[in-house]
Amino acid sequence: MPIIKDIVNEELLHRTLEKTKNPTEEQIIGILRKARKKQGLTLEEVGALLNATDPALTQQMFSTAGKIKRDIYGERLVLFAPLYVSSFCVNDCAYCGFRARNTAERKKLSLEEVREQVRILEDMGHKRLLLEFGEHPTETPIDYIVEVIRTIYDTKSGKGEIRRVNVNIAATTVEAYQKLKAVGIGTYQLFQETYHRETYQKLHQGLKADYERQLFAHDRAFAAGIDDIGLGVLFGLYDYRFEVLALISHAQYLDRTYGVGPHTFSVPRWQPADAVAWEEPPAPVSENELLNIIAILRMAVPYTGMIISTRERPEIREKAFEIGISQTSAASRTAPGGYGKSEKLAQFSLADHRTVDDVLKGILKQGLLPSFCTACYRKGRTGATFMDLAKPGNIHNLCRPNALLTFKEYLEDYASPEVKERGLLVIENYLAQIPDAATKRETRARLDRIEQGERDLYF
Ligand code: SAM
Ligand code: SF4
């Protein structure tokens, strides 16, 4: 059984924040120098960065984080869409539109409706989904969740298919996680929401009110053999400085205990939701603070992917891509059945309403390369195996070709003429930058095969 203090020692984190107040310029510059080595940072170093307020130093943090991002993730940005499957929920989380006290009608997709939604998502060009469920042991038991995943993998539209299903479901048992593992999920994501126990207790009612059930869920997932794990905090519930330290402390614990840290961090900020009377969340986080958080996480845990959603405005998302984000959703809906229709009960409201094609236009304008790649987990490159490739920088040699191949599929099958024209130039540009001649030749050959109609070619 894990011990709370090994994962998050509240006293220590508060003390660290106190002790690192008012850092000097020299201190921060020294920490940034260390960050550039891409070996991570200690909690004290992170505390100092969180306490730095000088705008000139913030700019330096952004440029250091940006450099680390480019070194590790290159020019790539991976795209996915959430698929909300059910809004039934037994919990009453104070911040969420699906909370139990909301009397609005609930919806759970039938398997036929899952197929309909998946076809729509495939026709948009998506290859990766993140499944979202409220928690309801009788409406959405684990066997239903497994059936939904099977149905998704089995649903094809034209040349489209979903190749990786990531899952965000409530904390559950080792047996249930084993079922998820067996059906073939990508990442299992679960957010602690707030690591601050007193705040957690105040904001949760129902099965999720058990702080330990939530905090130890990732250990149970590891015990079930799931080694790509996603962590997150819902920013706005408690002091973000504490939450960032706690998130890093949790990541360090997983690394120490299982030899592999989290695969991803998510950084959602609270957004207005049905049946939540808040005008402001209890501890609001500004857009600039969110960017700070992203930069600090990128420096502190360089090999953990980072996800930003369409909760944020396009302008902020663009900045975030520069300083640390490696995955983003596009054209999302947060109501079950919300693709192609307007459904009533959404979990929360969004700030980026663009189509996939428009999001891609923005990404290309930034000089980045959109990727729909799902190769790693299908090739067994998960957990420690993935990190062993990522840390010496070897993952680049696989990721860039795979990004080019999956983006080429998008251009052939779904792009507007404008995105296709611009996208083909971007492909040529990055193809030319593949350093290994044999890999470059093989990628070129596979791009040609995709043009001839073949699909799903990957390294
Ligand atoms: N019900 C499961 C759970 O709570 O873990 C699964 C995922 S829930 C559908 C996804 C996430 O949405 C939650 O973990 C929470 O962080 C986030 N969320 C809930 N209400 C939100 C709001 N009003 N604004 C932004 N994010 C919210
Ligand atoms: Fe239910 Fe998850 Fe919303 Fe909580 S956050 S009310 S568990 S859907």
Side-chain angles (χ1 to χ4, degrees), residues 89 91 93 95-96 98-99 133-135 193 208 347:
C89 196
N91 296 312
C93 307
Y95 42 80
C96 177
F98 292 166
R99 64 193 301 196
F133 295 77
E135 177 171 16
E193 320 294 9
K208 192 168 162 182
Q347 195 194 13

Side-chain angles (χ1 to χ4, degrees), residues 33 37 153 215 227 239 339 354 422 435:
R33 200 175 309 122
K37 294 189 183 140
Y153 281 133
L215 192 67
D227 56 2
D239 180 3
Y339 292 102
R354 295 173 297 170
R422 203 185 269 261

